[in-house]
């Protein structure tokens, strides 16, 4: 009697396992399917993000670099020179002017910072659209949100250019003061003078 009862118990357990087996298989299939779908979604999102960064209006390829505070971009098939708002880097290509201390370093920093990235351009409501040289006046942003002008000033490659009004002047002045305090970049390598109009300049490099 005891053996027969034990046999029935084992038989019931076996049947239970057989009933659970299809459920386990279904569960595994669902897990795999969800994982594949999630991976597909990630790949799709990455593709969409990449396409958006390539085609989104306002993102422009850099045609060439002029100096630390000036670049040229391909804007709908036309090359436009962009003068960055609120910053003044030492001169490298100004006509009838010598190359200034840290000018080449600032130009190299801008080129390395932007690299092959497209840039987002933003006008300032307090600034003119173009300067007297017909260059567009714009803030220059990288795809990750970094503001090129701010990075230049904060790392000692240029001065806050406050001779003309712009909305980020306080932020840029604070970045300049912080760089000067720790003698970063040009502050530790150049002689800085202030002109009568308040514009800062570095010393000329020897020819």
């Amino acid at each position: 009697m005891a053996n027969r009862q034990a046999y029935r118990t084992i038989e019931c357990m076996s049947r239970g396992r057989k009933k659970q087996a299809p459920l386990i298989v279904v569960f595994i299939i669902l897990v795999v399917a969800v994982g594949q779908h999630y991976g597909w979604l990630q790949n799709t999102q990455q593709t969409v993000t990449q396409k958006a960064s390539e085609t989104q209006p306002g993102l422009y390829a850099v045609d060439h670099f002029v100096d630390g505070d000036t670049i040229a971009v391909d804007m709908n098939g036309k090359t436009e020179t962009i003068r960055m708002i609120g910053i003044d880097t030492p001169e490298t290509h100004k006509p009838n002017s010598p190359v200034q201390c840290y000018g080449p370093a600032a130009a190299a920093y801008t080129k390395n910072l932007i690299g092959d990235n497209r840039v987002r351009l933003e006008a300032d409501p307090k600034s003119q659209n173009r300067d007297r040289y017909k260059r567009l006046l714009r803030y220059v942003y990288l795809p990750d949100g970094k503001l090129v002008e701010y990075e230049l000033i904060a790392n000692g490659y240029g001065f806050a250019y406050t001779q003309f009004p712009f909305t980020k002047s306080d932020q840029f002045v604070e970045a300049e003061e912080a760089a000067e305090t720790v003698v970063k970049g040009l502050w530790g390598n150049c002689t800085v003078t202030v002109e009568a109009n308040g514009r800062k300049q570095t010393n000329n490099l020897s020819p």
Side-chain angles (χ1 to χ4, degrees), residues 20-133:
Q20 290 176 353
L23 294 176
I24 294 173
V25 172
V26 171
F27 176 76
I28 292 173
I29 292 173
L30 286 174
V31 169
V32 172
V34 170
Q36 290 177 339
H37 182 65
Y38 180 71
W40 176 81
L41 283 176
Q42 281 189 316
N43 291 335
T44 301
Q45 290 172 349
Q46 290 174 356
T47 301
V48 170
T49 300
Q50 181 178 357
K51 291 294 183 183
S53 67
E54 293 175 353
T55 61
Q56 179 183 342
L59 288 175
Y60 301 100
V62 176
D63 183 80
H64 62 275
F65 296 89
V66 180
D67 57 20
D69 55 32
T70 308
I71 62 175
V73 302
D74 181 357
M75 188 173 287
N76 304 320
K78 179 183 178 182
T79 301
E80 285 277 9
T81 302
I82 309 299
R83 176 61 169 85
M84 299 181 195
I85 295 174
I87 183 173
D88 191 24
T89 60
E91 301 293 349
T92 57
H93 295 102
K94 187 175 181 180
N96 304 316
S97 298
V99 175
Q100 293 180 321
C101 179
Y102 242 63
Y109 182 82
T110 296
K111 185 175 182 178
N112 291 332
L113 181 64
I114 296 176
D116 295 327
N117 288 301
R118 289 172 175 260
V119 294
R120 180 170 65 85
L121 306 177
E122 182 182 281
D124 189 304
K126 288 187 176 182
S127 177
Q128 298 178 356
N129 185 51
R130 294 182 184 269
D131 65 8
R132 58 177 178 170
Y133 302 109

